[in-house]
Amino acid sequence: MTTSKKRIAILISGRGSNMKSLVEACRAPDYPAEPVVVISNRPDAPGLQWAKEQGLPTLGLDHKRYESREHFDGQLMSVLEMSRVDLVCLAGFMRLMTPSLVERWRDRMLNIHPALLPSFKGLHTHERALAAGVKIHGCTVHLVRPEMDEGPIIGQAAVPVLEGDTFDTLAARVLAAEHELYPRCLALYASGQAIVENERVSIRAAERRDGGLLVPQIVD
Ligand code: GAR
């Protein structure tokens, strides 16, 4: 276990419920990370307002005001460096990043995706899971690589797809699992209990109770 808390930036684009679950987890004295800035590419994101109310440094970086993705990512990179960030947590940040930004933060940038990767990369994961008739769905926390929704998996949470599920019921079940999974994965990674080697994440023996797989209790 490291002695100092990792300084994290949380990047959002909207509601920010995953950001909120990370910020709340960070309040525990023994949690190995602390939020130092919350950034949104949409200055009117509701999550940004919530973070401000918590007294956290926030920044709205409106992507529409930048002439190219490179310019936007360059600005983002400067802010992350100025804030002396150790780890970047993407939490519903709905923008593709340039490979140079991703490589600069290689093994220091985490993302949560609302599906069991490598299934259902991209958008509309719940609709696609319902259409495919899968019986198990879920979410994944992984390290970010330049290819969309690729990268070593830190942890996954599985939820059942129930008879009669709609987009809303399935999305709510997965979201509840996301809120448990992301803080647990960040804690494992920030504390050095989860390490990446040869593009696989392994979890040290003492923490290997569930091997990064979280199967939440389902209450209908
Ligand atoms: C979450 O379900 C997250 O997994 C997803 O967006 C939602 C954001 O909700 N992320 C992606 O689809 C990334 N490709 P939130 O703003 O309430 O955390």
Side-chain angles (χ1 to χ4, degrees):
M1 179 74 87
T2 49
T3 50
S4 62
K5 288 177 185 269
K6 292 279 188 286
R7 296 167 60 84
I8 62 163
I10 308 176
L11 272 54
I12 66 171
S13 293
R15 177 178 55 182
S17 69
N18 277 288
M19 176 265 305
K20 194 172 168 186
S21 77
L22 292 176
V23 168
E24 284 170 350
C26 286
R27 290 191 177 130
D30 59 348
Y31 196 81
E34 59 178 343
V36 295
V37 64
V38 176
I39 303 170
S40 174
N41 63 309
R42 295 186 184 278
D44 59 351
L48 209 56
Q49 184 58 34
W50 182 87
K52 214 175 281 176
E53 286 160 12
Q54 308 309 302
L56 292 170
T58 59
L59 180 65
L61 265 189
D62 188 349
H63 63 272
K64 294 196 282 304
R65 299 175 66 140
Y66 291 81
E67 65 190 60
S68 68
R69 198 174 290 281
E70 284 70 22
H71 282 90
F72 176 83
D73 281 7
Q75 182 63 30
L76 185 55
M77 191 117 69
S78 308
V79 172
L80 295 173
E81 277 164 16
M82 269 175 354
S83 307
R84 293 182 292 113
V85 164
D86 297 312
L87 295 173
V88 177
C89 296
L90 308 183
F93 186 66
M94 306 305 275
R95 264 187 80 75
L96 292 176
M97 290 176 160
T98 50
S100 64
L101 177 65
V102 175
E103 286 301 345
R104 175 78 184 75
W105 289 88
R106 191 179 180 86
D107 295 342
R108 295 188 298 148
M109 186 184 282
L110 285 65
N111 180 44
I112 184 148
H113 181 73
L116 292 172
L117 290 173
S119 292
F120 306 122
K121 294 176 180 174
L123 298 174
H124 310 300
T125 56
H126 307 318
E127 291 93 328
R128 287 156 59 212
L130 286 169
V134 296
K135 303 299 182 200
I136 302 282
H137 187 40
C139 51
T140 302
V141 173
H142 64 100
L143 295 167
V144 175
R145 294 291 181 260
E147 304 75 29
M148 188 185 61
D149 300 326
E150 288 277 345
I153 291 170
I154 301 173
Q156 294 185 303
V159 304
V161 180
L162 302 177
E163 277 310 310
D165 259 342
T166 62
F167 166 84
D168 288 332
T169 57
L170 185 57
R173 193 175 305 122
V174 173
L175 191 65
E178 292 184 44
H179 295 162
E180 273 195 66
L181 182 71
Y182 209 173
R184 288 178 61 167
C185 289
L186 174 62
L188 286 175
Y189 199 67
S191 65
Q193 298 300 311
I195 49 171
V196 58
E197 281 172 324
N198 301 322
E199 291 298 89
R200 297 280 180 278
V201 171
S202 51
I203 296 172
R204 296 226 168 123
E207 293 297 323
R208 212 181 286 150
R209 289 186 301 272
D210 58 18
L213 174 70
L214 176 67
V215 183
Q217 294 288 324
I218 303 303
V219 182
D220 302 308

